[in-house]
DNA sequence: GGCCAGGTGTAAA
DNA sequence: TTTACACATGGC
């Protein structure tokens, strides 16, 4: 069976650095993390553009606007009523801490994030890794699927998270690149319905 | 028309 | 503790 490091190196050699998270500001990163829940990133980009065009990609402006208007702007991401409520909860929490920087410097940040309605383990870990720059491994649907297929590990969120963290240097850059590379692999090759082995950079390491 | 997309909260077994 | 379901738009 392939090792976690071998797969990482093969993905990096093939796809190169992804330099995630794609965002022009830290607040945009946090908002994107909520908007991308169970929706393709393409749809998120449209919503983020809508928010920018209306000048509300900012905690104060977002908190000050009508939730109903927010719903309209983020509609392309689906689940828009829930997500509008979640963005309101996020912007409120950010403002209560005096801004994005202080928000992400809170003690016990992970549990603080999980205490906000609408932020689960993946969203919290994304915010900590790509927003705060702290090393915590992010497990998404691609990671779960690829881990089962490539490493033969079928487990829950925190078991998979620990599986990667045990074999990697505690480095936010490596964690960030690895997660991004798994997403790219998942989109192009390790698909839900069936693997696309043609051109897959880790086919030689995979029991598929 | 069916499947999938960078999940989470809630309720019931 | 596990499983089922609601939440909703858009691309292929």
């Amino acid at each position: 069976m392939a090792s976690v490091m071998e797969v990482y190196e093969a993905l990096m050699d093939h796809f190169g650095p992804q330099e995630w998270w794609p965002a022009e500001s830290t607040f945009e990163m946090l908002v994107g993390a909520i908007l991308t829940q169970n929706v393709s990133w393409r749809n998120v980009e449209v919503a983020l553009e809508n928010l920018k065009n209306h000048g509300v990609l900012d905690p104060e402006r977002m908190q000050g606007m009508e939730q109903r208007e927010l719903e309209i702007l983020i509609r392309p991401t689906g689940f828009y009523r829930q997500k509008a409520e979640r963005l309101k909860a996020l912007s409120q929490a950010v403002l209560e801490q005096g801004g994005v920087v202080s928000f992400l410097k809170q003690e016990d940040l992970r549990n603080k994030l999980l205490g906000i309605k609408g932020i689960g383990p993946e969203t919290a870990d994304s915010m900590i890794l790509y927003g705060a720059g702290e090393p915590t491994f992010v497990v998404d649907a691609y990671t779960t699927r690829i881990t089962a297929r490539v490493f033969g590990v079928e487990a829950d969120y925190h078991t998979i998270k620990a599986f990667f963290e045990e074999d990697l240097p505690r480095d936010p850059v490596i964690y960030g690149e690895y997660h991004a590379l798994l997403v790219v692999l998942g989109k192009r090759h390790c698909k839900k319905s069936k693997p696309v082995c043609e051109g897959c950079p880790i086919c030689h390491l995979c029991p598929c």
Side-chain angles (χ1 to χ4, degrees):
Chain A
M1 194 74 75
S3 76
V4 166
M5 242 353 231
E6 282 172 344
V7 168
Y8 177 69
E9 284 164 5
L11 292 174
M12 185 59 88
D13 284 347
H14 187 80
F15 294 120
Q18 302 301 303
E19 298 176 3
W20 274 21
W21 187 284
E24 293 172 16
S25 70
T26 307
F27 187 66
E28 178 180 337
M29 186 272 134
L30 301 179
V31 169
I34 286 177
L35 292 181
T36 197
Q37 290 171 352
N38 206 44
V39 158
S40 65
W41 183 254
R42 170 185 293 280
N43 294 30
V44 176
E45 288 178 323
V46 177
L48 287 172
E49 203 53 36
N50 289 343
L51 294 172
K52 284 181 196 175
N53 291 338
H54 284 74
V56 293
L57 196 41
D58 164 277
E60 285 92 355
R61 300 293 302 279
M62 188 170 283
Q63 193 56 21
M65 74 190 298
E66 288 296 326
Q67 185 164 318
R68 191 57 209 283
E69 188 191 352
L70 185 54
E71 290 177 2
I72 294 167
L73 297 178
I74 67 170
R75 207 156 84 180
T77 65
F79 309 121
Y80 58 87
R81 294 191 186 88
Q82 289 185 25
K83 287 179 179 176
E85 187 179 357
R86 291 170 186 186
L87 290 181
K88 281 287 193 176
L90 171 70
S91 56
Q92 182 180 349
V94 167
L95 292 175
E96 282 172 1
Q97 291 303 314
V100 182
V101 175
S102 332
F103 177 73
L104 290 173
K105 279 185 179 165
Q106 293 178 91
E107 287 300 310
D108 199 18
L109 175 61
R110 194 169 194 276
N111 284 319
K112 296 278 172 53
L113 291 171
L114 291 175
I116 298 172
K117 192 168 176 183
I119 298 183
E122 182 186 336
T123 306
D125 286 329
S126 295
M127 290 174 170
I128 295 165
L129 178 59
Y130 297 109
E134 293 296 321
T136 187
F137 202 85
V138 178
V139 177
D140 66 344
Y142 291 121
T143 309
T144 302
R145 184 163 74 234
I146 294 167
T147 303
R149 288 183 183 171
V150 179
F151 300 113
V153 173
E154 294 188 46
D156 64 20
Y157 188 96
H158 291 95
T159 305
I160 294 171
K161 175 177 165 64
F163 174 75
F164 282 93
E165 291 184 348
E166 280 167 11
D167 281 359
L168 293 171
R170 196 175 169 68
D171 180 346
V173 175
I174 292 177
Y175 285 13
E177 288 297 339
Y178 208 147
H179 172 65
L181 289 164
L182 288 176
V183 172
V184 173
L185 179 71
K187 283 179 175 170
R188 302 195 197 165
H189 300 284
C190 205
K191 304 208 170 196
K192 188 169 185 180
S193 44
K194 81 175 197 185
V196 180
C197 293
E198 176 100 20
C200 177
I202 61 164
C203 219
H204 62 295
L205 299 170
C206 181
C208 60

